[in-house]
Amino acid sequence: EDQVTQSPEALRLQEGESSSLNCSYTVSGLRGLFWYRQDPGKGPEFLFTLYSAGEEKEKERLKATLTKKESFLHITAPKPEDSATYLCAVLAAGGTSYGKLTFGQGTILTVHP
Amino acid sequence: DVKVTQSSRYLVKRTGEKVFLECVQDMDHENMFWYRQDPGLGLRLIYFSYDVKMKEKGDIPEGYSVSREKKERFSLILESASTNQTSMYLCASSEAVQETQYFGPGTRLLVL
């Protein structure tokens, strides 16, 4: 069974204090790994898709990386507006998991001014 | 930009009522999905559709049905609402199965 574990569950940072969020996964053939940001009461907002180990994507203060077992979301010099829940999801190749995203529980990030 | 819209942001229904949640996407995507999101349980897939009038059960289809008569519209139906169906419902769409899923704003449903 596909599994996604995100850590930490919650992270508090001071503005400007860089850190990383972790997403560990177990999947029978990775077709893609996705990062989303979710604000309270809203739907997830797409951030990045990573398809193969070694791939990296960047957007403003965020950088996502992928290995064969985990992905990291690095946040450089965060601002209070980066406060949100960050979700990781994997898409497996083939079998009964075909086409189905498996989500982690999310990391709640709070950035204090 | 991809836009996924959902018919209601908040909905209050009584136990036993039939409830329709509607989702529309404007990017001509083939695939559409319905999830529910609950604290501590994360996002769970209810149903998905990979073509008009085609549907597949997700992880938790019990108590739900779906309809996709047109490519852009995917409806979730609660045949007889129960209190354990109180949740945040999220619709998503993607161009192809392996592509990114884009989510709507969500419908927060309360069943009394």
Side-chain angles (χ1 to χ4, degrees), chain A residues 31 34 36 38 41-44 46 49 51 87 91 98-101 103-105, chain B residues 9 33 35 37 40-43 45 59 88 90 97-101 103-105:
Chain A
R31 192 176 278 272
F34 304 85
Y36 291 88
Q38 187 174 26
K42 297 188 177 180
F46 169 69
T49 304
Y51 290 108
L87 298 170
L91 183 66
Y98 187 60
K100 182 172 80 73
L101 281 181
F103 281 86
Q105 293 292 318
Chain B
R9 292 300 306 275
F33 308 81
Y35 294 86
Q37 185 176 31
L41 296 176
L43 277 88
L45 182 65
D59 296 323
M88 172 72 136
L90 293 162
V97 169
Q98 70 273 21
E99 298 296 329
T100 301
Q101 292 183 23
F103 285 83

Side-chain angles (χ1 to χ4, degrees), chain B residues 9-97:
Chain B
R9 292 300 306 275
Y10 301 95
L11 213 49
V12 180
K13 296 292 181 181
R14 297 273 178 200
T15 302
E17 280 192 77
K18 191 168 186 176
V19 182
F20 293 87
L21 303 181
E22 299 212 320
C23 174
V24 177
Q25 50 93 6
D26 67 355
M27 285 302 292
D28 201 35
H29 282 175
E30 297 291 334
N31 305 284
M32 297 188 75
F33 308 81
W34 275 107
Y35 294 86
R36 63 178 283 178
Q37 185 176 31
D38 302 286
L41 296 176
L43 277 88
R44 293 178 291 167
L45 182 65
I46 305 171
Y47 266 98
F48 69 98
S49 168
Y50 51 88
D51 198 355
V52 176
K53 300 200 177 186
M54 305 297 286
K55 61 189 179 186
E56 290 285 342
K57 292 180 180 179
D59 296 323
I60 50 165
E62 296 79 19
Y64 303 94
S65 62
V66 290
S67 171
R68 194 170 180 198
E69 297 293 324
K70 294 185 178 181
K71 190 175 186 180
E72 68 271 17
R73 189 179 298 268
F74 192 33
S75 300
L76 180 69
I77 303 157
L78 287 66
E79 296 289 341
S80 177
S82 63
T83 54
N84 62 12
Q85 292 179 311
T86 291
S87 186
M88 172 72 136
Y89 289 88
L90 293 162
C91 175
S93 73
S94 68
E95 186 171 358
V97 169

Side-chain angles (χ1 to χ4, degrees), chain A residues 5-95:
Chain A
T5 303
Q6 291 187 246
S7 61
E9 290 185 14
L11 182 62
R12 293 176 174 268
L13 299 173
Q14 288 298 126
E15 185 172 2
E17 180 187 359
S18 301
S19 189
S20 297
L21 312 182
N22 178 263
C23 171
S24 298
Y25 63 89
T26 304
V27 65
S28 53
L30 180 71
R31 192 176 278 272
L33 184 142
F34 304 85
W35 281 99
Y36 291 88
R37 169 197 170 122
Q38 187 174 26
D39 293 303
K42 297 188 177 180
E45 174 189 345
F46 169 69
L47 294 173
F48 303 109
T49 304
L50 302 167
Y51 290 108
S52 57
E55 192 174 357
E56 298 183 352
K57 295 267 180 79
E58 279 190 72
K59 180 181 178 181
E60 296 180 357
R61 295 178 292 282
L62 299 176
K63 179 179 177 180
T65 62
L66 180 65
T67 72
K68 289 187 177 179
K69 293 184 177 180
E70 57 191 350
S71 176
F72 291 94
L73 184 66
H74 307 278
I75 303 177
T76 302
K79 298 181 177 181
E81 52 261 42
D82 294 322
S83 298
T85 297
Y86 290 86
L87 298 170
C88 170
V90 297
L91 183 66

